[in-house]
Amino acid sequence: QSALTQPRSVSGSPGQSVTISCTGTSSDVGGYNYVSWFQQHPGKAPKLMIYDVNKWPSGVPDRFSGSKSGNTASLTISGLQAEDEADYHCCSYAGAYTWVFGGGTKLTVL
Amino acid sequence: EVQLVESGGGLVQPGGSLRLSCVASGFTFSNHWMHWVRQGPGKGLVWVSGISNDGRGTTYADSVKGRFTISRDNAKNTLYLQMNSLSADDTAVYFCARDHAKTPDYWGQGTLVTVSS
């Protein structure tokens, strides 16, 4: 039940693209296509942005995209906007109805 | 509209107990696994525990196994977390989350638990 590894922070200017990585193991990220990404503004609940590696929930703009290669998943945000500034968390199913999360990445829009 | 509303948090002394509740609405509660996830101050999300839709199956993180008990009352659309032998490491905002096809798709606003003397 070790946490997934995310960079502590990333930054980008408006209009640019940023990618956040999420590294796990073959027991979680690499073993299942159940990786999800959450956006969390200060004091708020996490909001689902991507599920099943690369699917969008209703209402999430397609500027947000997900991918996976081996034990590493990635979230790419293109056309950065000021409102994208938030913490981003990855999550993977880890078998037997358990989940494992990353440590979170703070996105700063310069 | 799916809504999850947690309650029951507060200040508790080390070694003490607390029971959290999460009232669900806007969906068929009895069709979904439900989970508790916590977030320590300035830290990331950590999965705590899950319970099957009928309440017969439960899962726990190693860090809370033997101290925390998850349960549910489908007639009341309510999820619970009984927390015993609390320590400072348990200080966190506790979120309940709905499990949809192995993804935590909806979350409550959270309830703060502070363990301190």
Side-chain angles (χ1 to χ4, degrees), chain A residues 97 99, chain B residues 33-37 47 49-50 59 70 79 95-97 99:
Chain A
Y97 288 94
W99 291 322
Chain B
W33 272 72
M34 295 293 295
H35 298 258
W36 289 99
V37 178
W47 174 81
S49 181
T59 54
I70 191 171
L79 174 71
F95 297 97
C96 63
D99 185 335

Side-chain angles (χ1 to χ4, degrees), chain B residues 22-62:
Chain B
C22 169
V23 177
S25 61
F27 67 100
T28 304
F29 182 68
S30 59
N31 284 354
H32 292 264
W33 272 72
M34 295 293 295
H35 298 258
W36 289 99
V37 178
R38 69 184 181 184
Q39 185 172 34
K43 297 188 177 180
L45 301 167
V46 177
W47 174 81
V48 173
S49 181
I51 187 167
S52 63
N53 56 316
D54 63 3
R56 295 181 181 180
T58 57
T59 54
Y60 297 94
D62 289 343

Side-chain angles (χ1 to χ4, degrees), chain A residues 1 8 34-36 38 40 43-48 50-52 87 89 91 93 96-104, chain B residues 33 35 37 39 42-47 50 59-63 65 95 97-99 101-105 107-109:
Chain A
Q1 296 178 346
R8 296 204 65 170
Y34 296 121
V35 176
S36 48
F38 298 87
Q40 186 181 31
K44 300 295 187 182
K47 175 187 175 185
L48 181 64
I50 293 287
Y51 69 99
D52 292 358
D87 293 328
H89 307 270
C91 171
Y93 182 69
Y97 288 94
T98 68
W99 291 322
V100 60
F101 290 88
Chain B
W33 272 72
H35 298 258
V37 178
Q39 185 172 34
K43 297 188 177 180
L45 301 167
V46 177
W47 174 81
T59 54
Y60 297 94
D62 289 343
S63 58
K65 203 171 293 184
F95 297 97
R98 186 181 82 163
D99 185 335
K102 297 179 174 60
T103 293
D105 64 343
W107 299 61
Q109 287 298 311

Side-chain angles (χ1 to χ4, degrees), chain A residues 5 7-8 25 27 32-33 39 50 55-56 58 61 74 76 84 86-87 89 101-104 109-110:
Chain A
T5 300
R8 296 204 65 170
T25 69
S27 297
Y32 305 95
N33 287 322
Q39 178 189 68
I50 293 287
K55 297 178 182 176
W56 292 278
S58 175
S74 299
T76 298
D84 298 334
D87 293 328
H89 307 270
F101 290 88
V109 180
L110 302 171

Side-chain angles (χ1 to χ4, degrees), chain A residues 3-85:
Chain A
L4 307 176
T5 300
Q6 296 181 235
R8 296 204 65 170
S9 64
V10 297
S11 62
S13 300
Q16 289 187 333
S17 295
V18 294
T19 297
I20 301 171
S21 61
C22 171
T23 301
T25 69
S26 58
S27 297
D28 38 66
V29 174
Y32 305 95
N33 287 322
Y34 296 121
V35 176
S36 48
W37 289 90
F38 298 87
Q39 178 189 68
Q40 186 181 31
H41 288 106
K44 300 295 187 182
K47 175 187 175 185
L48 181 64
M49 305 301 285
I50 293 287
Y51 69 99
D52 292 358
V53 176
N54 57 12
K55 297 178 182 176
W56 292 278
S58 175
V60 172
D62 60 7
R63 300 188 296 105
F64 293 81
S65 62
S67 63
K68 189 185 86 166
S69 177
N71 296 336
T72 298
S74 299
L75 173 71
T76 298
I77 308 171
S78 58
L80 269 179
Q81 300 180 3
E83 59 262 36
D84 298 334
E85 184 162 296

Side-chain angles (χ1 to χ4, degrees), chain B residues 80-92:
Chain B
Y80 302 101
L81 186 67
Q82 176 66 43
M83 305 186 296
N84 299 330
S85 302
L86 287 162
S87 72
D89 289 343
D90 298 314
T91 293

